[in-house]
Amino acid sequence: MGALLSNFRNTMIVSLVLAIALIGVFATQPSNTMGNMHELMGHAAMRWLHVFFGILWIGLLYYFNFVQIRTMPKIPDELKPAIGKFIAPEALFWFRWAAVGTLVTGLLVAWARGYLVPALSLNASDGFALDDGNVFIGIGMWLAIIMFINVWFVIWPNQKIALGLVDAPAEAKPKAARTAMLFSRTNLLLSLPMLVAMSMRQTMWG
């Protein structure tokens, strides 16, 4: 077991196999309400992927804001290069691509469930009615889209400068680091209302 758990890739492969097996066992039971296998794969599996990518994205957002940003000033100068050269670039890789996975799978879930256009338009065709949950989830979707834009078009370009991953004048690095931090904090600010809309819509409206 130690050999398995010490290898990240193999651990994730086994976790995926167990997850698929769990889906397979319960999807074939007579009491399941998922309908045919196409519906299972198109709805339940896509929602599962959406939750996975969302946990990875927002989890890393919280790591940056709860841990790394607040701890960096306390780290001795001789140790800071380890963060900038190794930990931060790796974390940012998973951070930005998890944002892509979250957005794409979220839009696919909304499309498959038939509320993509009403949610994104905030029920404009129905007088912006608040009684069916479309405006509620739509606000969450737009907050997530804003957060995604911040990641790819502000945080990541500025982090590349701050971490020295692209050529830039030395005096540009502090400004880039501060810009990335402020937009990361903006995403932190938006994350809780976004999660309210994402997690409570089905409970409140079914």
Side-chain angles (χ1 to χ4, degrees):
M1 182 62 74
L4 168 66
L5 297 177
S6 63
N7 185 295
F8 170 77
R9 183 192 64 183
N10 290 344
T11 301
M12 289 302 300
I13 290 172
V14 172
S15 182
L16 178 62
V17 169
L18 291 173
I20 293 173
L22 185 63
I23 293 171
V25 168
F26 284 89
T28 58
Q29 297 305 306
S31 59
N32 86 83
T33 58
M34 292 301 300
N36 58 39
M37 185 57 67
H38 175 75
E39 184 178 4
L40 172 65
M41 298 306 294
H43 293 192
M46 192 58 63
R47 184 184 296 274
W48 168 51
L49 287 172
H50 180 56
V51 171
F52 168 74
F53 285 122
I55 290 172
L56 185 57
W57 179 20
I58 302 304
L60 285 167
L61 173 69
Y62 287 167
Y63 159 73
F64 286 129
N65 283 278
F66 279 68
V67 181
Q68 183 170 304
I69 293 173
R70 296 173 66 242
T71 305
M72 281 297 287
K74 306 174 187 177
I75 298 175
D77 289 341
E78 64 272 16
L79 299 179
K80 288 182 179 179
I83 304 293
K85 291 183 179 180
F86 298 100
I87 296 176
E90 182 76 7
L92 286 164
F93 172 84
W94 293 106
F95 177 65
R96 65 184 188 272
W97 288 109
V100 173
T102 304
L103 185 69
V104 170
T105 55
L107 292 174
L108 287 173
V109 167
W111 173 77
R113 296 295 300 274
Y115 62 80
L116 177 61
V117 173
L120 288 178
S121 66
L122 303 179
N123 253 357
S125 63
D126 195 22
F128 302 99
L130 304 178
D131 58 353
D132 58 7
N134 287 331
V135 173
F136 189 73
I137 190 67
I139 290 171
M141 290 169 69
W142 278 112
L143 290 175
I145 290 169
I146 291 168
M147 293 168 66
F148 171 85
I149 292 170
N150 286 345
V151 168
W152 274 94
F153 298 102
V154 183
I155 296 172
W156 173 232
N158 280 282
Q159 283 286 20
K160 286 193 290 185
I161 295 172
L163 296 173
L165 302 178
V166 295
D167 291 331
E171 59 271 19
K173 292 184 178 182
K175 180 181 178 182
R178 179 166 174 77
T179 299
M181 183 276 290
L182 291 175
F183 276 83
S184 182
R185 281 287 162 80
T186 300
N187 279 8
L188 177 66
L189 184 151
L190 297 177
S191 68
L192 291 182
M194 181 274 293
L195 288 171
V196 163
M198 295 298 180
S199 63
M200 294 177 63
R201 190 262 189 184
Q202 189 160 355
T203 301
M204 295 172 68
W205 281 275

